[in-house]
Amino acid sequence: MAANSDSEHPGWIKHVEPQCSHKTIRRITCLGSGFVGGPTSAVTAFKTDVVVTVVDINSDRIAAWQSDSLPIYEPGLSEIVQVARDGIKNGLDSLCDFSVRWEDGRIAKIKDHNDYSRRPNLFFSTDVDQAIEDADLIFVCVNTPTKSTGVGKGAAADLGFVEAATRNIAKVATTSKLVVEKSTVPCRTAQYIREILSANARPGVHFEVLSNPEFLAEGTAMRDLLDPDRIIIGSMQSPAGHEAAASLAEVYAQWVPRDRIITMNLWSSELSKLAANAMLAQRISSVNALSAICEATGADVDEVSYACGLDSRIGPKMLKAGPGFGGRFVKILSPGLPETHENRSCFQKDIFNIVYLSESLHLYEVADYWRSIIKMNEYQKLRFTKRIISCLFHNLYGKKIAVLGFAFKKDTSDTRESPAITLVSNFVAEKAQVAIYDPQVKERQIWMELINDGGELETMKQNVTICNSAYEACANSDAVVIVTEWDEFSNKADIPVSNLATIAIPAPSPFLQEMMPNRRSRSRLATGSESPVRTSHPISPTNMRKENRIPSIGERLEGLGLSAKPPAAKPRRLDWARIARDMRKPRFVFDGRGILDAAKLEMLGFRVEAIGRASSLPEDLT
């Protein structure tokens, strides 16, 4: 009987075997300290004895990475950075067994069972050239924004930073290196990198280029790095390419099961990242399209999504209706304002990369198909905005709109994909007074996003207030708009509790012990910091030694005698009765994320309008 093709991978895709000949990687340099470079480097250093140096020409960002106030918020990131960057000094070089509970994006419990010492192996620097020279392997994690001018404007990726980094590697390196493309790039970018390196390399210096795309989701980046679904490594299909892939695979194999480390050719690896994001965006646009039908017919989009997700061929993930997956588009409510494409969201940027690639290959029908996903996403944002205006009696002039949440989703400070940017800009165009509150996004970041979206700073400051609490934002407001699904905004009783996770902290190897004294100057603190591991955010290690097969998270939890879903303290919630007392009547709440129990709010006198549910207002008022 023939095997089920759905469960098999193509024959040319291989799981890396440990016996494959390769060079051992001892030093890694990461070019770029953003959302990809910083967390990836932190986890790599944390889980291995490799010396990892993150470099960036932005000295302010590097200073932030060296401080207690990191430039990126991710649950668990600060603890992992502190351990790898500052080290632990308790006297013994042995495995440290920790039990840590993930609850609401924070550590609920941390307990060390053994004395433990660890020297730092994570460093941050602005000395790019020295870091390149020191490295065995270089991660290229620079920005690849959408082009805003010239050929391919608004669709093609701007590879200027990639080319500049590549030329600098070739200029500086005096020994052979592995160059790993981690930035999201169009298919066949690795070929351009290879040509630039080959043409500019010093005599006797050889570069092997790999593609190793990241599959991180904001808010869960630490889990995605510590327990990934897969590690994709693309290489040239040559002996040297296979050896290079095996060297990188050996690094990951120190904490990732080998059956999740997959090698393939360079072009397949590059396209797989674009394809994954495009297909995820496709699911979001599909459920958002269904939400419009639900609102018109009286169906409930959450119930429809649940029914569809029970089909094993579909699954339940990425089927939550919302205001869209972000990105920039023309503000239709305000004709004449310029269209902007800078800092586009990952989903939208990657779809446009596929559109541009398809058109360059004369596959116009393919390009039109992928472009329709963007069109639906723009329609969803516009539709939500129009619904708010319609419910507020077709007039926002002078009305106060409280926007709760500015990050594109909970448990992150990332705003690149946030529909809040578009919604706030549209409200301002309608002359509303907008009050914004987000528990993690900094005020400066909000202003920058609104200005980058085409707004004038002075105009924005006349119409927008950034608040320190949700109560301040909602006071005397005409409407509350839920844009980010932070748990504190919900009034439902069944907020899901994060599962436990486990992390192993390996003891430093003899190589690391030998190397660290020579690199103390690159550490923020001297070797053997007296500072204990902080316990304000989430990590969770267990006593796990290096073996060919690494136990799954579930197996490690069982070994600790811990439940996969332990009871957790309820997150801090808004007092919606207090908000009701301070709002103007009629009190409108627009639930863009499906996190509110409408019946409870209606008992407090709210009129609740939710995406994917029919309006509560009479038809003649909508």
Side-chain angles (χ1 to χ4, degrees):
M1 184 174 179
N4 184 348
S5 61
D6 289 344
S7 64
E8 296 182 344
H9 57 71
W12 59 85
I13 295 179
K14 301 177 180 178
H15 299 289
V16 176
E17 297 299 329
Q19 65 267 26
C20 180
S21 174
H22 59 274
K23 175 184 177 180
T24 298
I25 302 301
R26 294 186 171 186
R27 303 177 185 88
I28 291 176
T29 288
C30 178
L31 304 183
S33 62
F35 177 78
V36 176
T40 299
S41 298
V43 170
T44 302
F46 179 81
K47 296 297 291 183
T48 72
D49 57 15
V50 176
V51 176
V52 182
T53 302
V54 182
V55 293
D56 202 305
I57 59 175
N58 187 329
S59 58
D60 290 340
R61 180 173 284 267
I62 290 298
W65 279 111
Q66 292 171 333
S67 73
D68 291 331
S69 180
L70 303 185
I72 296 170
Y73 172 74
E74 278 289 324
L77 176 60
S78 62
E79 286 71 31
I80 288 176
V81 167
Q82 186 181 23
V83 170
R85 181 194 66 191
D86 303 342
I88 301 174
K89 186 177 181 181
N90 282 328
L92 295 177
D93 289 335
S94 62
L95 285 180
C96 183
D97 189 355
F98 286 93
S99 298
V100 179
R101 180 174 298 167
W102 295 78
E103 291 176 2
D104 310 317
R106 293 181 177 273
I107 286 184
K109 180 182 180 182
I110 182 165
K111 181 180 180 182
D112 54 331
H113 299 285
N114 301 300
D115 288 334
Y116 174 68
S117 66
R118 172 193 174 112
R119 293 190 173 188
N121 64 326
L122 175 65
F123 305 92
F124 298 92
S125 173
T126 56
D127 192 346
V128 178
D129 291 357
Q130 185 61 53
I132 290 173
E133 178 60 22
D134 289 346
D136 300 317
L137 181 149
I138 300 170
F139 283 143
V140 179
C141 300
V142 298
N143 193 20
T144 55
T146 303
K147 290 184 69 175
S148 57
T149 60
V151 177
K153 172 185 176 181
D158 185 344
L159 299 178
F161 294 118
V162 173
E163 181 175 344
T166 303
R167 290 185 179 277
N168 197 42
I169 292 170
K171 174 185 175 182
V172 171
T174 60
T175 58
S176 298
K177 315 283 183 188
L178 301 185
V179 178
V180 181
E181 169 194 84
K182 287 196 75 70
S183 300
T184 302
V185 293
C187 191
R188 299 196 74 85
T189 299
Q191 180 60 33
Y192 305 142
I193 294 175
R194 293 179 73 247
E195 291 178 4
I196 292 171
L197 291 172
S198 177
N200 295 279
R202 296 170 183 256
V205 175
H206 174 73
F207 298 99
E208 199 64 40
V209 178
L210 300 173
S211 169
N212 177 217
E214 51 82 18
F215 296 96
L216 307 183
E218 286 92 336
T220 60
M222 293 299 98
R223 296 187 188 184
D224 298 336
L225 287 164
L226 292 164
D227 191 31
D229 294 330
R230 77 285 203 198
I231 298 293
I232 302 297
I233 301 174
S235 69
M236 295 298 294
Q237 300 303 291
S238 64
H242 293 153
E243 290 179 11
S247 293
L248 179 56
E250 182 189 46
V251 174
Y252 284 116
Q254 295 183 58
W255 78 93
V256 179
R258 287 191 177 271
D259 61 3
R260 298 188 201 172
I261 304 174
I262 312 299
T263 62
M264 57 184 67
N265 75 51
L266 276 170
W267 330 128
S268 298
S269 176
E270 289 177 330
L271 187 57
S272 68
K273 173 57 188 298
L274 299 179
N277 273 353
M279 295 182 76
L280 292 173
Q282 177 192 54
R283 285 174 72 97
I284 295 173
S285 282
S286 294
V287 74
N288 282 342
L290 289 171
S291 74
I293 297 175
C294 290
E295 291 171 23
T297 61
D300 186 321
V301 72
D302 287 340
E303 295 175 350
V304 173
S305 297
Y306 177 74
C308 292
L310 292 176
D311 189 323
S312 61
R313 298 167 299 175
I314 298 173
K317 293 185 178 181
M318 304 296 284
L319 288 180
K320 186 70 174 177
F325 53 74
R328 314 288 195 256
F329 69 105
V330 177
K331 290 189 281 292
I332 299 174
L333 298 179
S334 303
L337 289 178
E339 182 175 6
T340 58
H341 295 279
E342 298 84 353
N343 297 320
R344 195 175 250 150
S345 70
C346 294
F347 284 173
Q348 185 151 307
K349 182 181 74 171
D350 292 351
I351 291 175
F352 271 114
N353 274 333
I354 292 180
V355 168
Y356 184 73
L357 175 64
S358 301
E359 289 180 338
S360 67
L361 297 172
H362 308 292
L363 302 172
Y364 300 111
E365 291 81 5
V366 175
D368 289 342
Y369 169 75
W370 290 110
R371 189 182 284 109
S372 68
I373 295 171
I374 300 295
K375 183 177 180 180
M376 177 54 62
N377 191 59
E378 295 178 4
Y379 170 68
Q380 184 74 351
K381 294 178 187 176
L382 177 61
R383 197 172 65 81
F384 190 44
T385 301
K386 285 184 172 180
R387 183 173 180 182
I388 293 170
I389 295 173
S390 176
C391 289
L392 293 176
F393 315 111
H394 303 279
N395 173 40
L396 297 188
Y397 184 86
K399 293 180 178 177
K400 182 179 178 181
I401 310 298
V403 173
L404 299 187
F406 202 84
F408 91 96
K409 70 174 184 178
K410 72 174 185 177
D411 292 336
T412 182
S413 60
D414 196 333
T415 59
R416 289 175 301 167
E417 299 189 10
S418 178
I421 301 167
T422 299
L423 293 172
V424 170
S425 297
N426 286 340
F427 297 155
V428 170
E430 293 291 313
K431 308 301 182 184
Q433 294 295 314
V434 184
I436 302 170
Y437 167 71
D438 188 285
Q440 290 297 334
V441 180
K442 296 179 180 179
E443 179 175 348
R444 181 173 180 272
Q445 186 174 347
I446 294 175
W447 289 124
M448 288 182 63
E449 289 286 8
L450 294 176
I451 293 169
N452 288 339
D453 198 46
E456 294 289 338
L457 180 59
E458 292 307 316
T459 301
M460 285 292 173
K461 287 198 170 182
Q462 290 175 6
N463 292 275
V464 176
T465 303
I466 299 173
C467 303
N468 294 319
S469 72
Y471 299 113
E472 179 186 350
C474 294
N476 298 314
S477 64
D478 296 271
V480 177
V481 182
I482 304 291
V483 185
T484 309
E485 69 279 20
W486 290 103
D487 289 344
E488 67 182 81
F489 301 155
S490 177
N491 69 333
K492 289 185 177 180
D494 58 347
I495 293 179
V497 176
S498 301
N499 288 350
L500 288 175
T502 52
I503 303 171
I505 300 184
S509 70
F511 165 73
L512 185 59
Q513 297 279 14
E514 175 186 348
M515 288 302 302
M516 299 317 302
N518 297 326
R519 299 178 61 91
R520 290 182 184 181
S521 60
R522 299 197 182 198
S523 174
R524 186 183 68 91
L525 299 178
T527 298
S529 169
E530 297 291 340
S531 302
V533 179
R534 284 177 291 176
T535 61
S536 58
H537 293 295
I539 55 173
S540 50
T542 185
N543 191 7
M544 185 180 69
R545 292 170 174 78
K546 298 177 184 177
E547 300 174 352
N548 288 338
R549 179 183 176 279
I550 299 178
S552 67
I553 283 182
E555 291 170 335
R556 284 176 262 163
L557 293 176
E558 291 178 5
L560 291 172
L562 297 173
S563 168
K565 291 187 177 180
K570 292 183 179 180
R572 177 170 55 90
R573 305 287 194 89
L574 291 185
D575 181 351
W576 281 96
R578 174 180 170 182
I579 291 175
R581 289 194 299 269
D582 292 340
M583 284 184 65
R584 296 177 63 187
K585 297 179 181 179
R587 308 180 187 97
F588 280 95
V589 175
F590 297 92
D591 184 3
R593 295 293 185 175
I595 64 171
L596 298 177
D597 186 325
K600 290 181 181 179
L601 291 184
E602 287 168 356
M603 293 177 64
L604 295 174
F606 287 100
R607 293 184 180 178
V608 182
E609 299 288 321
I611 285 181
R613 298 187 190 124
S615 175
S616 61
L617 292 178
E619 290 186 7
D620 57 346
L621 294 179
T622 60

